[in-house]
């Protein structure tokens, strides 16, 4: 499919299944080379990362575990409004090498928040593996250790990423038409 319509918006194909697979394998290969001999915990951030996490994990050959967490908005007890909390951590993270698996890093706010909370669990090291990265939108200094594909600052859907909850099932990536 060259074009898709999701809800009220039209998108056109920008990253093919083949390009996706090549990028996923490259990330896996780099992780396998860098982290040989380490006990690694992959931590997928739901919902968006489920597809990348699954494809990536199939190509990982080092000793490792995987878990999934979610960043949930909840109303704090103080009147300070919405706080984004990391939920679903039940593994023992202390002393482990944790690789955060993200679908996309845009401004980096989400990532920054996740890392701050994760540090409270005292992992030995936190690494970042994101499938997509928008360098022009990125506002943080946090090093992105592994990025599958760098993309322009446009809105995209597919391969786990959504527009209003839809489009995650597309196996290629589509960019919003301007
Ligand atoms: P950040 O906090 O600005 O880095 O944004 C991260 C989150 O925004 C991602 O985890 C996605 O859920 C969402 N997001 C950012 N860019 C896109 C996009 O182009 N399409 C769909 N979701 C996006
Ligand atoms: Mg996300």
């Amino acid at each position: 499919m060259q074009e898709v319509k999701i809800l009220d918006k039209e998108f056109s194909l920008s990253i093919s299944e083949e390009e996706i697979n090549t990028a996923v394998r490259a990330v896996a290969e780099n992780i396998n080379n860098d982290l040989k001999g380490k006990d690694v915990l992959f931590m997928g951030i739901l919902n968006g990362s489920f597809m990348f996490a699954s494809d990536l994990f199939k190509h990982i050959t080092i000793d490792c575990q995987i878990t999934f967490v979610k960043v949930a908005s909840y109303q704090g007890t103080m009147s300070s409004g919405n706080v984004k909390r990391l939920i679903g951590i039940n593994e023992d993270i202390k002393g482990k090498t944790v690789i955060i698996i993200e679908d996309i890093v845009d401004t980096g706010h989400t990532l920054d928040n996740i890392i701050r909370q994760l540090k409270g669990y005292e992992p030995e090291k936190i690494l970042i593996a994101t499938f997509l990265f928008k360098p022009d939108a990125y506002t943080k200094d946090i090093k992105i250790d592994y990025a599958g594909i760098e993309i322009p600052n446009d809105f995209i859907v597919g391969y786990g990423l959504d527009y209003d909850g839809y489009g995650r099932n597309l196996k290629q990536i589509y960019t919003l038409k301007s």
Side-chain angles (χ1 to χ4, degrees):
M1 266 186 305
Q2 285 297 320
E3 317 275 318
V4 290
K5 185 160 192 226
I6 300 170
L7 301 173
D8 58 328
K9 302 218 186 302
E10 293 183 357
F11 296 81
S12 50
L13 180 64
S14 53
I15 306 176
S16 70
E17 195 175 356
E18 210 179 333
E19 287 174 85
I20 291 173
N21 292 340
T22 304
V24 171
R25 279 165 203 258
V27 171
E29 204 168 298
N30 288 333
I31 292 174
N32 288 332
N33 289 333
D34 293 350
L35 297 173
K36 222 170 263 164
K38 295 268 180 201
D39 185 6
V40 174
L41 175 64
F42 286 84
M43 182 175 285
I45 312 299
L46 294 173
N47 295 323
S49 80
F50 73 96
M51 220 176 257
F52 172 49
S54 167
D55 287 347
L56 177 72
F57 206 58
K58 290 176 211 165
H59 299 290
I60 297 295
T61 53
I62 54 173
D63 292 334
C64 60
Q65 296 174 305
I66 190 165
T67 187
F68 288 89
V69 299
K70 193 158 186 163
V71 181
S73 292
Y74 83 120
Q75 198 69 38
T77 48
M78 315 275 256
S79 56
S80 56
N82 265 349
V83 189
K84 298 260 186 182
R85 249 198 84 192
L86 200 55
I87 58 168
I89 296 189
N90 19 22
E91 273 69 19
D92 192 13
I93 285 166
K94 200 168 171 173
K96 288 214 167 133
T97 298
V98 176
I99 303 187
I100 295 173
I101 309 181
E102 266 287 22
D103 50 352
I104 187 164
V105 175
D106 185 1
T107 64
H109 292 311
T110 309
L111 186 63
D112 184 51
N113 175 33
I114 290 168
I115 289 174
R116 280 169 201 273
Q117 295 188 56
L118 207 51
K119 281 185 175 162
Y121 294 87
E122 300 177 47
E124 183 197 309
K125 196 170 188 182
I126 301 173
L127 295 167
I128 321 298
T130 184
F131 185 60
L132 299 167
F133 179 44
K134 293 182 181 172
D136 297 339
Y138 194 54
T139 62
K140 304 287 175 184
D141 295 324
I142 304 160
K143 183 179 170 217
I144 306 296
D145 302 282
Y146 306 98
I149 302 175
E150 292 193 358
I151 59 168
N153 197 4
D154 299 321
F155 188 79
I156 52 105
V157 290
Y159 198 64
L161 288 118
D162 71 302
Y163 166 49
D164 257 8
Y166 292 90
R168 295 192 196 274
N169 51 320
L170 296 165
K171 57 183 170 213
Q172 311 194 86
I173 291 173
Y174 295 80
T175 301
L176 180 64
K177 284 194 191 177
S178 46

